[in-house]
Amino acid sequence: MHDSAHSRAGPPLATDGPLGGGERSELRGDLGRAGPPLATDGPLGGGERSELRGDPLLSVRNLRTSFFQDEGTTKAVDGVSFDVFPGKTLGLVGESGCGKSVTAHSILRIVDRPGRIVGGEIVLTRADGSQVDLVKLKPSGREIRSIRGDDIALIFQEPMTAFSPVHTVGAQIVEAVMLHNAVGPKEARARGIEALRSVGIPRPERRIDEYAFELSGGLRQRAMIAVALSCDPRLLIADEPTTALDVTTQAQILDLLRKIQHERQMAILLITHNLGVVAEMADDVVVMYLGRVVEQGKVDDIFHDPKHPYTKALLHSIPSIESPPRVKLPTIAGSIPHPFNRPAGCPFHPRCAAFIPGRCDMAAPPLVAVGEGRKASCFLYA
């Protein structure tokens, strides 16, 4: 609903070959578009990613968010379920209009009217071990306001519109720090300067008094990350954090997120169109289509052996440096249906190469296990 167009998503980032070192090197066959290298060896590299997960930090179960308009009802999120684990990165991918950003806004209870959550659970495990269902909280209540920024922070898709144009960057950071910490303006400003320094902004003592429109695109994105990290959240939701940035700046931003995650053991929910970024950053992947989860599993499994026809089509449409020149890229036939004209049965069946007449157009397939830690919503496996 709030996703940017595919044309704005930058190319996959190259690291030590088409997709880089560590455990990601085996994914390079299909996703190689050259770009600046990302550091993946050493303490931040993929090789040290632990498989010990424990209990999830955030559990989303059967989440349903709809927009009620005069023309009809739009089911933006239609029964989405996934888990986010401490210190791990979950990639949420899909075409524009599939409900990724609305899912993120639902978690923070900031869905714009006339939208509202109509069902499901969003269970957050807080620092003291207590659990709270965010769906049951008032969107403007004291408890959810204490969670925003403190437990869960959001990097908005477009920093230029997320920042206030009439307040300095520092004023907005100071406000967030003072809201969640018992500190005065002087201490909050010192923390703001340190937050800007931690994300690599030069001369933070000066930049803190500048407005968002005075910063370049890369510095604005770093400042947006500084605001999100100013209260040391345990979960960071990054909604297209590299949209409209050149590949060099993309590499710097993603390397920064990975560095901060390693230092703080922070969980990240990464929303993106860019499958190269997903292959580089994510531990697990959730693929969405028309508000539903069509496939989920570990990133290596998804890229090596995609199960759902939609996931296969997404991967086939990515350009490769090994492709012959002047050859047209494979495309996914058709387009996402209009929200008021959802197809009966499986939502992907009008565009699916594996369409089964009389079955796929009659009922929606359930999300079923298709291997260890893998799930897919397709009648090929039901």
Side-chain angles (χ1 to χ4, degrees):
M1 288 300 166
H2 299 286
D3 300 324
S4 59
H6 274 283
S7 60
R8 299 183 61 192
L13 299 175
T15 60
D16 190 25
L19 266 183
E23 63 185 21
R24 295 293 179 253
S25 60
E26 68 271 19
L27 298 177
R28 62 183 59 182
D30 298 322
L31 293 173
R33 258 207 278 177
L38 285 175
T40 54
D41 297 327
L44 300 182
E48 296 187 7
R49 296 188 182 185
S50 171
E51 295 302 321
L52 299 176
R53 295 173 177 266
D55 296 328
L57 173 62
L58 184 77
S59 292
V60 177
R61 291 289 177 267
N62 199 30
L63 177 63
R64 300 177 185 275
T65 302
S66 299
F67 288 79
F68 300 90
Q69 301 166 292
D70 294 338
E71 298 85 355
T73 300
T74 300
K75 296 180 179 180
V77 180
D78 190 16
V80 168
S81 299
F82 58 81
D83 293 322
V84 183
F85 291 89
K88 298 293 183 179
T89 299
L90 175 68
L92 197 59
V93 301
E95 293 175 278
S96 296
C98 69
K100 303 186 302 297
S101 291
V102 177
T103 300
H105 293 175
S106 298
I107 292 173
L108 285 170
R109 302 302 310 278
I110 55 173
V111 177
D112 295 328
R113 294 181 180 180
R116 68 173 183 267
I117 297 175
V118 297
E121 297 180 337
I122 305 172
V123 179
L124 171 69
T125 302
R126 307 203 67 175
D128 59 2
S130 63
Q131 293 186 331
V132 57
D133 185 358
L134 305 184
V135 173
K136 297 180 179 179
L137 303 182
K138 294 182 178 179
S140 58
R142 181 184 298 273
E143 188 171 2
I144 189 64
R145 287 172 61 87
S146 70
I147 290 173
R148 296 180 191 134
D150 192 16
D151 288 278
I152 306 174
L154 172 64
I155 301 175
F156 286 93
Q157 188 167 329
E158 178 48 65
M160 193 63 199
T161 57
F163 277 119
S164 168
V166 297
H167 297 88
T168 64
V169 169
Q172 296 171 73
I173 296 178
V174 167
E175 180 184 21
V177 172
M178 294 182 64
L179 180 64
H180 295 285
N181 300 275
V183 298
K186 186 175 181 179
E187 174 64 21
R189 178 181 172 86
R191 292 193 185 187
I193 293 173
E194 184 56 35
L196 294 176
R197 181 179 289 110
S198 70
V199 297
I201 293 182
R203 300 190 300 278
E205 298 85 358
R206 173 185 170 187
R207 298 293 187 183
I208 197 170
D209 294 319
E210 293 184 351
Y211 294 89
F213 60 80
E214 297 181 273
L215 304 178
S216 66
L219 288 181
R220 257 198 312 270
Q221 192 65 282
R222 289 175 181 268
M224 187 83 258
I225 296 173
V227 173
L229 297 178
S230 60
C231 296
D232 196 18
R234 298 163 58 237
L235 170 62
L236 178 66
I237 301 176
D239 189 358
E240 293 281 0
T242 59
T243 295
L245 300 177
D246 61 84
V247 291
T248 301
T249 307
Q250 282 188 42
Q252 295 171 350
I253 294 299
L254 294 176
D255 205 16
L256 171 65
L257 288 176
R258 195 161 40 191
K259 175 177 180 291
I260 293 172
Q261 180 183 37
H262 175 75
E263 292 173 347
R264 306 188 183 190
Q265 287 300 301
M266 177 180 62
I268 295 178
L269 176 59
L270 179 65
I271 299 173
T272 181
H273 296 105
N274 194 329
L275 292 176
V277 172
V278 170
E280 185 64 40
M281 292 286 294
D283 297 286
D284 302 281
V285 180
V286 171
V287 183
M288 289 184 63
Y289 183 79
L290 210 61
R292 297 182 180 180
V293 174
V294 296
E295 185 169 357
Q296 63 186 63
K298 294 183 182 300
V299 64
D300 291 338
D301 294 336
I302 294 290
F303 278 85
H304 285 140
D305 185 25
K307 297 296 186 182
H308 198 278
Y310 179 59
T311 310
K312 295 178 181 179
L314 286 177
L315 292 172
H316 288 160
S317 64
I318 298 174
S320 170
I321 60 175
E322 299 177 356
S323 300
R326 302 182 184 279
V327 174
K328 291 185 178 180
L329 292 174
T331 59
I332 304 176
S335 59
I336 292 182
H338 192 278
F340 299 144
N341 189 28
R342 294 171 66 97
C346 174
F348 186 62
H349 86 261
R351 309 171 65 188
C352 183
F355 167 59
I356 304 174
R359 189 174 188 189
C360 295
D361 54 351
M362 298 300 293
L367 191 66
V368 298
V370 292
E372 185 179 355
R374 299 286 305 278
K375 290 184 178 181
S377 174
C378 183
F379 282 121
L380 295 175
Y381 313 101

